[in-house]
Structures are given as C-alpha cells and as structure tokens.
C-alpha cells in the first residue's frame, strides 16, 4: 500500500515513530528483541490445527520457502492458509482492507478518499457476488479450507505476535484484525485486474493532450503498432475459427454525426474534422479528466505504476530446439517493487496424486490467495504476461433529478450508502451512484463534479445543464469465475484441460503460455474482452447513447490461440497479440510496441539459425539481457552531431564503440540514458499539458484560456507559471517503447516541429533535430556532472539507476530512521525500460527504478528438479527475519535458486520441517 501524497503522512508518521521505539531505537530498547521476534513463525516440531483430517508436512529450505504435503486438498489448502499467515499476515491484512475500501480502519482519516473511491468501484461487493453466484462448490470448499487455516493462526496470536507493525498500530489506535473470510481472497483478483486494466490511462491522456495539441500531433505520439518489424504473439494463424464482427468499423472518436458529442461529424471536435474525435474546445472536460488522473494517482498501486512501461516477459521453446530435447519455459512479470515482494513461493503436493487429490504444483502465488498463480505441476508449466486488452471505457453521463439520460429518455440511476469507519475519527458516509451498472467515479472528487460544464455538444446531445458526470465500464465489475480458473490450472494435465481452465480466467486478461511433458508448447489468450457497438475505446464515450454500449464479449473459442507453431517458440512480452488485419475483433490499440518481444525472439532465432540449441544457461542470458534497442537507432545520430564544446564532446565520445548494453558499471549507459531523458523533455515534455507533467515541475507558458489576451499593453507575450500535476511514476513522457517508436519515426524528419524548443538564458533555441540532440547532450553532460562528478570515468549507470525496497505501509513516510528500520537498499542495477531485463524508470520523473522483474523463473520440462527460480525479496514479511530480503542480492546479481519439485529433491534442500496435526491427535 505505497502511500503517495503528503496528506497521508500524519498518522503514518506517528506509527513510524512508534516503530522506532518498538525496534529499540532511543528509549524503547527494552522492547527490541521480544517484540520483533514474537511474530517469527514456528518452522519445526508439531502444531495442532483444528479441522485437519490428517497430518500435513511443511518442509522449508534455507530460504524459508515452504513445500506442503497433505493427503487431501482441503488439508493442503488449510495448511497453505496457516503457513501464509505465519509469514505474511500483515501484508494479507493490508491487502484485504485495500480491496474492501477499509484502509481508514487501520491508518486513519488520511485514507478516507482512497477508501471512498474503492467503495465506489465496489471490488469487495463484486467478489461477494462471485462467491454467491459464480464459483463452483469445489472452489468454495478450497477457499473455506484456506480461510480456516488463516483463522487457526489468528486464534493463537494477536498484536505483536502477528507482526511488529501491529505493535505500533496498537499504540495509536485500538485496531485488531478480524477473522479472515473467503471473499477476502477472491477480492484480491479485483486488485490485480485494476492494476492490469489496460488503456484507461491512455484514454484519459489522449483527451488531456487535446487541450494543447492538435489531432495529428496526438496521433504522432500514439503511432500504430509496427507489425512489419515486431512480430505479434500469434503469427501463424488466428484462433480456432475466429469469426464475427468487432463492432468498431468507422468509429475513431466519440461520435459520428447525430449521435456523438461533436458539433460537426467528428465527436468532440470543433467542426474542423478532427480525426481523433477530440477538439481544442474540449479543454474544460480535459481539466476534469486531469482531476480524475490525480484521484487515480491516490490509489495505492499494488502491482505496478500506470503507464506504457509496465509489462512482463514470457517465452517457451520447443524441445526441437533445446539441449534437453524437451521444452524450456521462462517468465518474469514486471511489477512495482515492494517489501515484501508481491510474490510468495510455495509448493502444494498431494501425497498421492489422484482424482480426489489432484495437486502436485509449485510456483509463485499471492499471500492471501490459495493455489499457485504461475508455475508448474507434474505434467504442465505455464506463465503469464499482461495482454493489455482494452477492458475499460470512460463514459460521460447526463444526470439530473435522480435520473440519467439514455437515448433521449430519462431513467432512474441507482444509489447505495457506504459507511467508512475511521481509526481515531468519526465514521464517514458516502453515497455511490451507478448508471446501468457503471459506477459514477466523478462523485469522488470535487473537481470532477462539474465534468463537461462547457463541453461542445451537438443538438442531439442532452443539455449540459450543470455538467456531465464520468462513469466507468470495466469487465471486472461483472462477476466471473477466475478463482475457478486458478485451481483448474493447478490441476490441469494436458493442453485441453489447460484451455478449459483458461476459459474461466476472465480478469485480468492475460497472455498464457504453456508447455507439457509430452513436448507440446502453446499459447492462449483468455479473458472477458468487450465487443463495442460504436467507438473504439480510445476516448471517453457518450453515456447517453446506447449505441456505444458493449454488445457482449469475444467468445473464448474465438480468442487467439496457438499450439506447436512451426517456428518452434512462442514469445509474449505485451506486444500485439495478432495482426489486426487477420483478426475480426478489436483487442486494443494500446499495445506495448514489441521492443522486448522482438529482442527475445531475435536472440532465440540467432541461436537456432546458427545451428545451436537453447540451454538453461541461454534462457538465463536472455532473461538478463539489458541491451537498449532504442540506442541502436539513436546513437549514430548523436555521434553525427558536431559538438564544439570539448567538455560536452568528452561525454559524447563515451558513445563511440558502446555495445548498447546497460550494465550497472557502464559510464556510456549512464550518459546515453541521461541524453534520452533530456531529449524527451526538450522535444515533448515541455509541450505537454500540466496534467501529464511531473508534479512540481513548472514552466512559463501561454495562458490556457485563449479568450484572454496573450500580450500585455506593451505588446510582450504574457506567460503564466504552470506546474505539473502527475506523480513521478506516471508522468509523461515516460520513455518506454512507445517513445522509442515516436522518436524513431521522427529521426528521418530533421525539420519536424517536434524538434524545436525555445531558447533559455543559457541555451539558444533548437530549430531542428541536430540542434536539439546537441542541446540534449549538453544538458546531460551538466546533469551527470552534478549527479556523478566531473570525471566521466567514474560515472556508472547503477549509481543513477537505483532500487529501494520500501515497506508497503510505512516505508515511504515518516522520519529518516524508518529507512533503516523497515526498508532495504539501495541496489545499483543494470537494465532499463523496455530492455528484456526491465528495471524500469520513468524518464519524466528521474532515474530511480519504478518497476522490476518481480521474480524470475525457468522451467525444464525434461526434469522439473533442474528448474530455477528467484524472488525479489524473500518468503518472510517480518522486517528483521533472515528471509526478509535474503533473495534480493542474488536477484540483483542475476542469480537463481534451485527449484526442487520431486519429493527427494525437496527433502535434500529441506532445513526445517513443521508437522501440522489434527487437534484430536493431541499433537
């Protein structure tokens, strides 16, 4: 629950100060040992657990990774709940309060606005409906067993015995954890879906850009996917008989004539034929959408920052091209760094695998959720990356007198009341309004209340009155059976069973890759992906026109799928799934642009075409590849620029002979990335509206209100100081591979207007490409001199590019000593944005790392015991436990741990064994 805004600091600072006392800093030393160690789990001996039918063995290796062995699935998941609570209950508790919109109960009034927004979305309510209406009885039984295991642990402990954080909370409020409920586990899937929800931010950003840029300029910043250069995932056919219509033909904006929002034929435009459907007169609506962005920024990011950079890698190679003669499969999801890390490693084994007890699975899961999310069982392996399908639409709504307008008539909207309990404060009450199942998200921000006050509309649109509201259509607001899919994947034994499980995987929509011990490899795109009537989801749509409603979801059998492609490998790295000309449905226009995926494919092809075979070592090398593919294009242009200043030329010469790798100790990588950051700021960043720029970064600009004179009485241009409003993690230009594509398209057009930038006190204006590149190189030289020193030989990329692991609730707040107490780092890392080794950073917000390969795994289908894995942090969520960050140094150095699967291999690595026994044995 990373806190982002200053107003949250009050209660968390108090808690942080108490934490210093708890840990023995200052005059609280008498609490240090007993309080910190009170929550450490028992890992050996015996413990009696109510409800078990037979003993369960919990075998932990030196890294604290548990492998569980039971006779029944109910016993297995009961033990999983108990063990995860041992290691991570505080994290589980924070997660369930977030998904339920109840953070204020733990952390006070600073969280009320976040809770109000999350209550409006209704994650927990949807999870409850899934429990009531959708999930199978078998899944419910597993969830109930898991819940009983968590509660068995809670029955034994409270306060500091659960986690040291509770000792601090107990001194500032009377908070005590409630029993776990099955819906608490189901709701976590909604949080996953929110963080991986697709192009909602891009939809907002394009609307915001319209207040300053023309439609052609906006399209230049969102270029089409380069299918001719970067292959989509499915390249040898579409799906199992995909047919039908996507419902998007002929609609690129918010309206088309009489049913849209525009006053001409192009949506919200000003009648000038804007292809984007957004005109300059959209300024007031854009301002309100900027307020929505700030509201979204307030929501803790559980998995990663919004924006084009976030992604993941996975690939699988057929045994025809591997040294083992069987498939090799790799996966490394790129998510936000946190402490503890988002993943939890675990093995779940039935002592005898049978129809009654089908689980022999290990891999990565989430604390608070039963089963394994990514990993392998005795027959198959699978990995996940975000598909990025467009599963959200913003809708402008006309509301008045308890009604909403739809197709020229008024219908009553629905309301419900939510109470938000506040630790140390008064209970708050909010009213949530919904229109045809769409929550009105503009109610959660005062600045959003007047959305559309002066939006241009045509005569067919409803009168604006006091303005339009903003609602949200989102697939995750429809109850689904994704939790059924998790258990289905865990037990699947072949391709058909794998696909049957994938059919239930509704949200978030993912790329699923597959391999099995029979030598097959495959790909399946699952998920609830909407079919639109009008519109294409690129801009907010008119809620009062039902022709823009979703007409259904793409049938599972028509989603892209591939089995044993002739090329012998499958790569997914958030690139386009399938060529749009070969597929009748629209998935999204906002793909990652294929830089990582094509680099992975090229490295595989390079080995295969040379007659070689892919080994486990090769899979590691690909996973750790840190080449900067944009640099291959840009560096020749940088070296062609004549630099007269010898001080700047000295830095420029670092790029001569550079191999484009971004090692942590590389001076050239440090300089190149600084040049890239400055280039983006000069060419694009300073031209974007304040809602997209980094908060606190201010520019003198022409006034946004064009009705005011832009010259003073003396004829001088009047400028206003305009400051950015976006968090550093989500500001633009973020430098990801969308910007690789944007800049790459402009390099052959040296006189393009984007290359111009005005003069400053120390720099002449740039009027073309080479002048702007020269200025970016100069600015980067001086920036790194200030950051790293005058001697370029001492520069290194890792000194700029640092990773901090911050405690999820207290690590970004409070006084400096808290860094020592709960946080860990920094680590100086290699890699970069949209390198395969994607230690991502936001070029608009600085060089610090904002997303990482949150784990790495490589599975050998020839011998599962030869597989390898590594986690970002460690198994434990207890701040001073030996397994808190014991894997991080290995992870940072690109090393792996052995991943045992067979009983013998697990036994060989076991250091501690805890036996959980039924209570009636007296154990």
């Amino acid at each position: 629950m990373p806190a982002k805004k200053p107003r949250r600091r009050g209660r968390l600072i108090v808690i942080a100060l108490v934490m210093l006392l708890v840990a023995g800093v200052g005059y609280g030393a008498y609490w240090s040992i007993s309080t910190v160690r009170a929550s450490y789990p028992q890992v050996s001996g015996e413990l009696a657990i109510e409800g078990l039918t037979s003993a369960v063995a919990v075998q932990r290796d030196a890294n604290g990774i548990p492998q569980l062995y039971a006779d029944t699935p109910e016993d297995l998941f009961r033990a999983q709940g108990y063990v995860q609570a041992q290691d991570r209950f505080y994290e589980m508790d924070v997660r369930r309060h977030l998904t339920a919109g109840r953070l204020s109960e733990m952390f006070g009034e600073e969280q009320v606005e976040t809770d109000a927004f999350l209550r409006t979305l209704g994650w927990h309510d949807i999870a409850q409906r899934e429990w009531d209406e959708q999930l199978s009885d078998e899944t419910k039984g597993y969830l109930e067993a898991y819940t009983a295991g968590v509660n068995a642990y809670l029955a034994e402990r409270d306060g500091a015995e659960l986690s040291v954080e509770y000792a601090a909370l107990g001194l500032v409020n009377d908070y005590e954890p409630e029993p776990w409920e099955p819906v608490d586990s189901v709701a976590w899937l909604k949080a996953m879906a929110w963080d991986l929800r697709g192009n909602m931010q891009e939809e907002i950003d394009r609307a915001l850009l319209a207040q300053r840029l023309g439609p052609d300029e906006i399209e230049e910043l969102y270029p089409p996917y380069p299918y001719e250069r970067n292959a989509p995932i499915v390249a040898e056919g579409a799906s199992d008989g995909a047919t039908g219509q996507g419902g998007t033909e002929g609609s690129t904006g918010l309206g088309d004539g009489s049913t849209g929002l525009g006053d001409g034929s192009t949506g919200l435009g000003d009648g000038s034929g804007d292809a984007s459907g957004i005109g300059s007169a959209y300024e007031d609506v854009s301002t309100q959408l900027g307020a929505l962005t700030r509201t979204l920024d307030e929501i803790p990011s559980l998995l990663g920052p919004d924006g084009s950079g976030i992604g993941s890698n996975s690939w699988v190679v057929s045994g025809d091209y591997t040294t083992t003669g069987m498939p090799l499969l790799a996966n490394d999801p790129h998510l936000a760094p946190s402490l503890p890390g988002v993943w939890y490693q675990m093995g779940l084994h039935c002592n005898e695998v049978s129809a009654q007890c089908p689980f022999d699975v290990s891999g990565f899961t989430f604390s608070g959720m039963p089963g394994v999310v990514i990993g392998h069982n005795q027959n198959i392996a699978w990995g996940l990356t975000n598909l990025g399908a467009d599963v959200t639409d913003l809708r402008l709504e006309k509301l008045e007198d308890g009604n909403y307008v739809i197709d020229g008539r008024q219908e009553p909207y629905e309301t419900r009341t939510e109470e938000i309990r506040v630790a140390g404060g008064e209970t708050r009450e909010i009213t949530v309004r919904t229109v045809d199942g769409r929550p009105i998200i503009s109610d959660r921000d005062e600045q959003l209340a007047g959305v559309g006050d002066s939006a241009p509309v045509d005569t067919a649109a409803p009168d604006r009155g006091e303005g339009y509201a903003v609602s949200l259509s989102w697939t995750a607001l429809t109850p689904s059976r994704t939790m059924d899919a998790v258990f289905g994947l865990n037990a699947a034994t072949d391709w058909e069973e794998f696909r049957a499980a994938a059919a239930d995987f509704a949200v978030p929509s993912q790329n699923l890759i597959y391999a099995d011990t029979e030598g097959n490899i495959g790909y399946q795109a699952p998920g609830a992906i909407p079919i639109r009537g009008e519109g294409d989801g690129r801009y907010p749509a008119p809620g009062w026109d039902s022709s823009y409603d979703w007409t259904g979801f793409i049938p599972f059998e028509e989603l892209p799928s591939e089995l044993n492609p002739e090329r012998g490998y499958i790569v997914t790295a958030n690139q386009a799934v399938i060529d749009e000309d070969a597929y009748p449905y629209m998935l999204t226009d906002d793909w990652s642009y294929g830089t990582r995926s094509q680099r992975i494919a090229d490295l595989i092809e390079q080995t295969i075409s040379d007659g070689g075979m892919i080994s486990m070592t090769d899979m590691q090398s690909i996973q750790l590849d840190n080449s900067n593919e944009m640099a291959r294009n840009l560096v020749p242009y940088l070296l062609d620029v004549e630099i007269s200043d010898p001080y700047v030329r000295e830095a420029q010469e670092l790029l001569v002979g550079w191999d484009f790798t971004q090692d942590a100790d590389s001076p050239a990588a440090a300089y190149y990335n600084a040049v890239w950051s400055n280039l983006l700021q000069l060419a694009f960043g300073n031209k974007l509206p304040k809602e997209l720029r980094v908060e606190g970064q201010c520019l003198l600009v022409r006034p946004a209100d064009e009705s005011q004179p832009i010259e003073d009485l003396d004829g001088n241009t009047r400028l206003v100081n305009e400051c950015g409003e976006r968090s550093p993690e989500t500001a633009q230009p973020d430098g990801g591979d969308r910007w690789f594509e944007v800049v790459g398209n402009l390099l052959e057009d040296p006189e393009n207007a984007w290359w111009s930038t005005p003069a400053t006190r120390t720099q002449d204006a740039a009027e073309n490409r080479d002048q702007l590149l020269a200025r970016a190189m100069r600015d980067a030289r001086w920036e790194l001199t200030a950051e790293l020193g005058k001697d370029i030989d001492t520069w290194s990329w890792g000194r700029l590019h640092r990773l901090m692991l911050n405690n999820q609730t207290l690590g970004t707040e409070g006084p400096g000593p808290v860094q020592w107490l709960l946080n860990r780092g920094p680590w100086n890392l290699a890699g970069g944005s949209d390198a395969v080794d994607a230690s991502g950073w936001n070029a608009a917000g600085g060089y610090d790392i904002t997303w990482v390969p949150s784990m790495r795994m490589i599975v050998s289908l020839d011998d599962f015991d030869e597989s390898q894995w590594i986690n970002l942090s460690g198994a434990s969520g207890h701040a001073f436990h030996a397994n808190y960050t014991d894997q991080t140094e290995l992870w940072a150095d690109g090393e792996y741990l052995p991943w045992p699967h067979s009983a013998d291999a697990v036994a060989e690595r076991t250091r501690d064994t805890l036996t959980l026994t039924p209570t009636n044995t007296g154990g």
Side-chain angles (χ1 to χ4, degrees):
M1 193 269 302
K4 295 180 179 179
K5 297 298 179 181
R7 66 168 174 270
R8 299 181 178 185
R9 296 178 64 90
R11 179 166 296 271
L12 292 182
I13 288 176
V14 172
I15 296 171
L17 289 169
V18 174
M19 288 294 294
L20 300 181
L21 307 182
V22 171
V25 178
Y27 56 83
Y30 66 96
W31 262 7
S32 59
I33 302 298
S34 62
T35 304
V36 170
R37 291 185 177 176
S39 59
Y40 288 6
Q42 179 178 338
V43 296
S44 60
E46 291 189 0
L47 280 172
I49 303 298
E50 185 177 353
L52 288 178
T53 62
S54 59
V56 179
V58 181
Q59 298 178 215
R60 293 180 185 261
D61 64 11
N63 297 101
I65 300 170
Q67 303 274 352
L68 278 55
Y69 293 85
D71 289 337
T72 70
E74 290 77 16
D75 283 351
L76 194 60
F77 294 120
R78 190 178 300 258
Q80 183 183 19
Y82 187 91
V83 171
Q84 285 194 344
Q86 280 186 309
D87 288 337
R88 299 276 192 100
F89 181 74
Y90 180 72
E91 177 186 41
M92 293 164 59
D93 200 15
V94 171
R95 283 179 173 176
R96 67 163 165 175
H97 278 78
L98 187 143
T99 58
R102 296 175 57 192
L103 288 171
S104 300
E105 295 176 23
M106 295 184 75
F107 303 111
E109 62 183 356
E110 294 87 1
Q111 303 297 329
V112 168
E113 289 187 21
T114 295
D115 283 347
F117 193 88
L118 295 172
R119 295 283 187 94
T120 299
L121 294 177
W123 292 351
H124 197 269
D125 295 340
I126 299 298
Q128 184 65 57
R129 289 177 58 193
E130 291 184 355
W131 174 264
D132 294 338
E133 305 166 6
Q134 296 290 324
L135 299 181
S136 69
D137 290 341
E138 186 176 64
T139 292
K140 288 183 178 181
Y142 296 159
L143 285 163
E144 287 172 335
Y146 178 90
T147 296
V150 175
N151 289 333
Y153 186 73
L154 293 181
E156 300 171 355
R157 298 173 177 235
D158 59 17
E161 294 175 325
L162 287 170
S163 178
V164 69
E165 287 92 341
Y166 289 113
L169 284 172
L171 293 181
V172 295
N173 62 47
D174 57 358
Y175 174 78
E176 293 183 5
E178 297 174 351
W180 194 262
E181 297 287 345
V183 173
D184 295 335
S185 297
V186 179
W188 172 245
L189 293 170
K190 302 304 169 189
M192 282 182 60
W194 177 257
D195 274 12
L196 302 174
R197 62 191 177 273
N199 78 333
M200 180 173 168
Q201 191 62 60
E202 285 86 351
E203 184 178 341
I204 294 171
D205 286 355
R206 280 189 286 265
L208 293 169
L209 287 168
Q211 64 182 285
R212 181 154 294 173
L213 304 177
D216 291 341
E217 293 172 312
I218 294 173
E219 292 307 308
E220 285 183 308
L221 301 186
Y222 291 88
Y225 185 87
Y227 289 98
E228 73 288 348
R229 189 174 71 252
N230 296 339
I233 296 170
V234 178
E236 297 175 10
S239 59
D240 293 345
T243 59
Q245 297 299 317
T248 60
E249 183 178 355
S251 178
T252 58
L254 287 177
D256 55 352
S258 63
T259 61
L261 290 176
D263 57 0
S265 60
T266 55
L268 278 174
D270 56 3
S272 59
D274 294 350
S276 68
I278 300 288
S280 61
Y282 192 43
E283 179 185 323
D284 283 1
V285 173
S286 297
T287 300
Q288 304 309 324
L289 289 172
L292 172 58
T293 292
R294 292 191 293 277
T295 300
L296 298 178
D297 254 359
E298 292 287 337
I299 299 176
S301 180
L302 296 167
L303 301 181
D306 295 328
S308 62
I310 196 72
S312 303
N313 302 323
S314 71
W315 66 95
V316 60
V317 182
S318 165
D320 293 340
Y321 300 105
T322 69
T323 57
T324 67
M326 291 294 285
L328 296 174
L329 183 150
N331 197 187
D332 55 293
H334 307 155
L335 305 172
S338 64
L339 192 59
V342 69
W343 296 107
Y344 184 91
Q345 293 152 289
M346 190 170 232
L348 302 169
H349 310 277
C350 293
N351 287 321
E352 292 186 13
V353 177
S354 65
Q356 291 71 39
C357 195
F359 300 105
D360 186 18
V361 62
S362 65
F364 294 83
T365 189
F366 300 116
S367 63
M369 200 175 97
V372 167
V373 176
I374 298 173
H376 71 83
N377 61 27
Q378 73 277 17
N379 296 113
I380 75 167
W382 70 94
L384 298 177
T385 63
N386 194 27
L387 191 150
D390 184 357
V391 296
T392 59
D393 279 347
L394 294 175
R395 304 288 294 269
L396 300 181
E397 307 286 355
K398 175 58 179 176
L399 306 180
E400 59 182 19
D401 300 325
N403 297 313
Y404 67 99
V405 174
I406 180 69
D407 295 336
R409 67 181 188 276
Q410 291 193 4
E411 297 285 349
Y413 57 71
E414 297 180 0
T415 63
R416 71 176 189 272
T417 300
E418 298 272 354
E419 287 190 351
I420 300 174
R421 297 195 298 271
V422 181
E426 296 182 358
T427 297
R428 310 293 177 84
E429 190 174 280
I430 65 169
T431 298
V432 177
R433 302 189 290 177
T434 60
V435 172
D436 195 25
R438 301 189 295 269
I440 303 298
I441 56 177
S442 54
D443 286 347
R444 301 281 70 86
D445 190 301
E446 291 181 2
Q447 296 181 70
L448 282 170
V451 163
D453 281 352
S454 59
V457 295
D458 66 15
T459 56
D463 179 72
R464 66 173 60 92
E466 296 180 357
Y468 302 135
V470 177
S471 70
L472 175 67
S473 294
W474 179 32
T475 55
L477 299 180
T478 300
S480 68
R481 298 176 58 188
T482 302
M483 187 59 78
D484 284 349
V486 172
F487 295 115
L489 291 173
N490 285 199
T493 62
D494 58 25
W495 173 245
E496 291 306 317
E497 291 182 5
F498 172 80
R499 290 194 73 224
D504 287 333
F505 204 113
V507 291
S509 185
Q510 298 287 287
N511 297 306
L512 280 169
I513 60 165
Y514 168 91
D516 64 33
T517 54
E518 296 298 316
N520 298 300
I521 65 172
Y523 166 82
Q524 179 64 55
I529 302 175
I531 300 172
R532 292 172 175 83
E534 297 294 333
D536 58 10
R538 287 174 59 82
Y539 292 92
W544 52 81
D545 186 346
S546 65
S547 68
Y548 286 81
D549 290 351
W550 296 348
T551 62
F553 299 98
I554 301 174
F556 177 77
E557 289 300 325
E558 299 182 23
L559 287 168
S561 182
E562 196 170 45
L563 180 66
N564 295 325
E566 185 177 345
R567 65 185 177 277
Y569 62 88
I570 301 169
V571 177
T572 87
N574 317 111
Q575 80 271 36
V577 171
I578 191 166
D579 193 315
E580 60 186 354
D581 293 333
Y583 191 64
Y585 297 105
M586 178 178 177
L587 299 174
T588 186
D589 278 337
D590 290 307
W591 306 109
S592 181
Y593 281 78
T595 302
R596 285 176 287 112
S597 61
Q598 195 59 45
R599 175 65 175 172
I600 294 167
D602 288 346
L603 291 171
I604 295 171
E605 285 279 5
Q606 192 174 67
T607 299
I608 293 174
S609 63
D610 291 342
M613 293 290 193
I614 302 292
S615 67
M616 287 288 289
T617 300
D618 293 325
M619 298 289 277
Q620 290 179 2
S621 296
I622 295 172
Q623 208 162 48
L624 300 170
D625 180 81
N626 61 36
S627 174
N628 190 311
E629 296 304 282
M630 181 62 206
R632 295 179 188 274
N633 292 337
L634 182 57
V635 165
Y637 291 89
L638 295 174
L639 292 178
D640 280 346
V641 175
E642 292 188 12
I643 302 294
S644 59
D645 185 340
Y647 196 62
V648 178
R649 190 166 62 249
E650 180 187 36
Q652 182 191 34
E653 289 171 355
L654 286 172
L655 303 178
V656 176
W658 178 43
D659 64 358
F660 314 117
T661 59
Q662 299 173 100
D663 296 333
D665 60 359
S666 170
Y671 182 60
Y672 172 81
N673 282 305
V675 172
W676 176 243
S677 175
N678 280 277
L679 180 161
L680 292 173
Q681 190 64 29
L682 291 168
F684 309 102
N686 293 342
K687 301 166 187 175
L688 302 181
K690 64 182 183 300
E691 291 87 358
L692 275 72
R693 300 200 313 269
V694 175
E695 57 187 354
Q697 290 186 1
C698 303
L699 297 172
L700 290 173
V701 300
R702 289 172 177 258
D705 185 354
E706 297 291 347
S707 66
Q708 298 182 23
I710 62 172
E711 294 182 350
D712 60 23
L713 295 177
D714 297 325
N716 299 313
T717 300
R718 183 173 62 85
L719 301 177
V720 296
N721 199 37
E722 183 186 82
C723 298
E725 298 176 351
R726 187 72 62 86
S727 72
E729 296 87 0
T730 62
Q732 292 293 337
D734 62 19
D737 72 349
R738 173 164 70 88
W739 294 98
F740 291 7
E741 200 69 19
V742 170
V743 174
N745 289 342
L746 295 175
L747 285 174
E748 293 298 323
D749 185 7
E751 303 301 321
N752 190 286
W754 285 111
W755 295 118
S756 65
T757 192
T760 68
R761 294 176 184 175
T762 59
Q763 287 281 286
D764 293 334
E767 297 179 353
N768 56 44
R769 179 195 65 204
D770 288 354
Q771 290 177 3
L772 187 139
L773 296 182
R775 185 161 160 184
M777 284 190 282
R778 176 195 180 278
D779 290 353
R781 174 36 157 151
W782 285 104
E783 179 187 1
L784 294 198
T785 297
E787 291 285 337
L788 303 178
K790 293 182 179 180
D791 185 355
I792 63 173
D793 292 331
T794 67
W795 290 359
S796 70
W797 175 223
R799 287 174 61 196
L800 285 177
H801 192 54
R802 306 189 317 156
L803 170 69
M804 281 296 301
L805 293 182
N806 295 324
N807 178 274
Q808 291 186 335
T809 54
L810 306 178
T812 58
E813 304 290 348
V818 176
Q819 292 266 329
W820 169 84
L821 181 65
L822 292 176
N823 297 345
R824 299 294 181 268
W827 286 269
N828 299 341
L829 296 188
S833 298
D834 277 299
V836 179
D837 182 13
S839 51
W841 55 288
N842 187 308
Y847 303 99
D848 286 343
I849 291 167
T850 57
W851 67 89
V852 294
S854 55
M855 61 81 158
R856 300 185 181 103
M857 75 175 201
I858 304 172
V859 183
S860 170
L861 276 294
D862 177 60
D863 181 354
F864 287 122
D865 291 336
E866 293 299 316
S867 303
Q868 299 178 323
W869 60 356
I870 195 72
N871 206 355
L872 174 63
S873 60
S876 178
H878 301 294
F880 294 94
H881 194 278
N883 301 133
Y884 189 46
T885 56
D886 58 319
Q887 296 186 54
T888 309
E889 200 69 41
L890 296 170
W891 173 92
D893 291 340
E895 299 181 26
Y896 298 75
L897 291 172
W899 181 0
H901 179 70
S902 69
D904 289 344
V906 169
E908 184 178 339
R909 290 189 60 80
T910 295
R911 187 178 72 176
D912 300 294
T913 299
L914 172 68
T915 302
L916 303 178
T917 64
T919 52
N920 58 10
T921 67

